[in-house]
Amino acid sequence: MSTLHFGSALLPSGWADDVQVVVTDGTIAKVTTDVAPGSHEERHQLAIPGIASLHSHAFQRGMAGLAEIRGNSADTFWTWRETMYRFALEMTPEDTEAVATLLYVEMLEQGYTRVGEFHYLHHDRDGAPYANPAEMATRIAQAAEITGIGLTLLPSFYAHGSFGGAAPHAGQRRFICSVDQFAKLMAATRQAIGTLRGANVGVAPHSLRAVTPDELAAIAPLAEAGPVHIHAAEQIREVEECIAWSGRRPVEWLLEHAPVDQRWCLIHATHMTTTEASSLARSGGVAGLCPVTEASLGDGIFPTREFLDAGGRFGVGTDSNVLIGVADELRQLEYGQRLKHRERNVLSGGAGASTGRALFDAALAGGAQALAQPMAGLQAGARADIVTLDTTHPSLAGRRGDAVLDGWIFASAAGALDCVWAGGTKVVENGHHRLRQKAREAFNAVMRRLIA
């Protein structure tokens, strides 16, 4: 058992002063407000909950910045994807673990305390399965274990190269599974996370490009009680090809033909009509938004205001991991809306409301739902995922309450986070993860070899 004391903390009921948090076996056992600090308590000035990156492809952290040279034709998601395929074909299991380890260190240093790993790098470099079908998933689990980040592992089913069951691209050979292979992979993945405290498993049919309707119906039940995540409507070309295949747009097709409910998370869903946005909101599913990646890839801008007006729920993810940061994703989300609508504080929720607080609360709740976490925030029964902010940071000094979140999200480039507890264990102190140097050295060694 450990006891922490915070001068101010963001609780589910709002900001409170003199907050005592008792942690037992990685879980918050008790939260008490208006309590003077005790002599044996660890003290900090200001605490907020850690939140989830609900969508990550860990291996892509290794190629961050490697696709920024313009080709002979217009550069798009589809040309970026060719670079990604080439990079993915070179990585060994050891490489994957080293890259994921650094990524999870960086996530924790930036305030993410759980990751939804949408994992599709399954097989050996020639496309042959490993002796252990979950060899690569095991490497992801090991990276989560040594860094301390909470893990929701989402093995991705990927069988085809485009709509209608088209043959896969040669560059996709490490991703491809039959339904039977995927069932074995799921069983092995559950074993891989069996001793990892707080970890859970869901399924991730990659997209309607990669999965036929029959395959989708066959693999969704393999999630059991876990979440179901799928990419949808990220690109205009994807929408056009889906219409050509089915007569329906991707989100429209899913809402008509799949049991989309609170357990589902539609990743991106960038290109929706007003009707689709309202229907997705009514389903109770979460929109998994990745604003930094969506901007990096030129995907487009999600209809956030319209979706929220319809009662929609969202969380944020780091996706391609080109840049890691809770504040970065939330800021980009709001700034995209400002550019689209030519207004300020678009997502604040109403007059007099803090935009930073509105974004943070929504992402906290949506991320927890999307990763099947029964509770979120600083409350009894929740996993002890806690972030302290450095109130001496120039963008936070003199601020209280929601103004702290606004300063952190919109005005602090770096250095605003102090300590992070993940599952009750302090893994970041003075802004540095305990494994930062070791993880960087291992990552750098991998990168020198891969890009030589």
Side-chain angles (χ1 to χ4, degrees), residues 124-200:
D124 208 341
R125 286 175 284 188
D126 61 358
Y130 290 102
N132 172 10
E135 172 67 28
M136 296 295 255
T138 299
R139 300 297 182 146
I140 296 294
Q142 288 173 344
E145 182 172 22
I146 64 175
T147 59
I149 200 165
L151 178 64
T152 297
L153 191 47
L154 300 159
S156 178
F157 180 83
Y158 204 127
H160 305 288
S162 191
F163 293 96
H169 184 296
Q172 297 166 336
R173 60 182 178 269
R174 300 192 74 173
F175 317 155
I176 303 302
C177 286
S178 68
V179 171
D180 288 343
Q181 283 178 316
F182 190 72
K184 293 175 182 177
L185 171 63
M186 286 295 298
T189 297
R190 294 187 191 281
Q191 290 183 339
I193 67 148
T195 60
L196 188 55
R197 188 172 69 179
N200 64 329

Side-chain angles (χ1 to χ4, degrees), residues 84-124:
M84 182 269 288
Y85 287 160
R86 290 193 296 272
F87 188 81
L89 289 174
E90 297 301 318
M91 298 185 75
T92 67
E94 294 78 12
D95 295 340
T96 300
E97 183 175 343
V99 170
T101 297
L102 178 68
L103 171 64
Y104 296 162
V105 163
E106 293 174 333
M107 285 185 174
L108 287 159
E109 289 183 339
Q110 295 299 320
Y112 293 111
T113 49
R114 175 170 287 271
V115 60
E117 187 59 49
F118 194 114
H119 172 64
Y120 57 84
L121 192 57
H122 300 313
H123 307 311
D124 208 341

Side-chain angles (χ1 to χ4, degrees), residues 37-356:
S39 59
H40 299 296
E41 296 173 351
E42 183 173 347
R43 304 180 196 179
H44 296 269
Q45 185 55 41
L46 190 145
I48 59 175
I51 75 169
S53 169
L54 58 67
H55 186 67
S56 165
H57 304 302
F59 78 90
Q60 291 179 18
R61 172 62 182 88
M63 60 170 285
L66 294 180
E68 304 304 323
I69 298 175
R70 189 174 182 86
N72 294 325
S73 60
D75 272 327
T76 65
F77 165 85
W78 307 99
T79 53
W80 170 89
R81 192 175 70 158
E82 296 303 314
T83 301
M84 182 269 288
Y85 287 160
R86 290 193 296 272
F87 188 81
L89 289 174
E90 297 301 318
M91 298 185 75
T92 67
E94 294 78 12
D95 295 340
T96 300
E97 183 175 343
V99 170
T101 297
L102 178 68
L103 171 64
Y104 296 162
V105 163
E106 293 174 333
M107 285 185 174
L108 287 159
E109 289 183 339
Q110 295 299 320
Y112 293 111
T113 49
R114 175 170 287 271
V115 60
E117 187 59 49
F118 194 114
H119 172 64
Y120 57 84
L121 192 57
H122 300 313
H123 307 311
D124 208 341
R125 286 175 284 188
D126 61 358
Y130 290 102
N132 172 10
E135 172 67 28
M136 296 295 255
T138 299
R139 300 297 182 146
I140 296 294
Q142 288 173 344
E145 182 172 22
I146 64 175
T147 59
I149 200 165
L151 178 64
T152 297
L153 191 47
L154 300 159
S156 178
F157 180 83
Y158 204 127
H160 305 288
S162 191
F163 293 96
H169 184 296
Q172 297 166 336
R173 60 182 178 269
R174 300 192 74 173
F175 317 155
I176 303 302
C177 286
S178 68
V179 171
D180 288 343
Q181 283 178 316
F182 190 72
K184 293 175 182 177
L185 171 63
M186 286 295 298
T189 297
R190 294 187 191 281
Q191 290 183 339
I193 67 148
T195 60
L196 188 55
R197 188 172 69 179
N200 64 329
V201 174
V203 299
H206 180 272
S207 60
L208 291 177
R209 301 192 312 272
V211 180
T212 66
D214 288 346
E215 290 163 343
L216 179 60
I219 66 169
L222 297 176
E224 299 178 359
V228 181
H229 288 214
I230 185 169
H231 294 111
E234 180 179 2
Q235 288 281 325
I236 291 290
R237 177 175 136 185
E238 175 192 346
V239 174
E240 293 171 344
E241 290 179 353
C242 189
I243 292 171
W245 162 65
S246 69
R248 294 289 186 271
R249 302 166 65 87
V251 174
E252 182 183 22
W253 190 97
L254 285 166
L255 292 169
E256 289 182 3
H257 295 92
V260 177
D261 60 13
Q262 292 88 346
R263 293 172 52 240
W264 283 63
C265 180
L266 272 58
I267 305 300
H268 305 303
T270 307
H271 300 287
M272 291 192 294
T273 64
T274 301
T275 299
E276 285 177 297
S278 296
S279 298
L280 177 57
R282 287 195 301 272
S283 77
V286 174
L289 308 182
C290 308
V292 170
T293 292
E294 288 152 5
S296 172
L297 298 181
D299 288 344
I301 298 175
F302 180 81
T304 317
R305 182 161 72 179
E306 296 80 359
F307 183 63
L308 294 182
D309 286 347
R313 309 168 191 182
F314 75 84
V316 294
T318 52
D319 194 359
S320 67
N321 297 305
V322 69
L323 179 68
I324 310 302
V326 173
D328 298 280
E329 298 293 347
L330 297 179
R331 183 190 318 114
Q332 181 67 42
L333 179 58
E334 167 67 21
Y335 280 1
Q337 298 302 303
R338 295 184 186 192
L339 291 168
K340 176 180 179 180
H341 297 287
R342 297 186 296 280
E343 299 176 15
R344 300 193 72 254
N345 297 307
V346 177
L347 304 179
S348 68
S354 157
T355 302

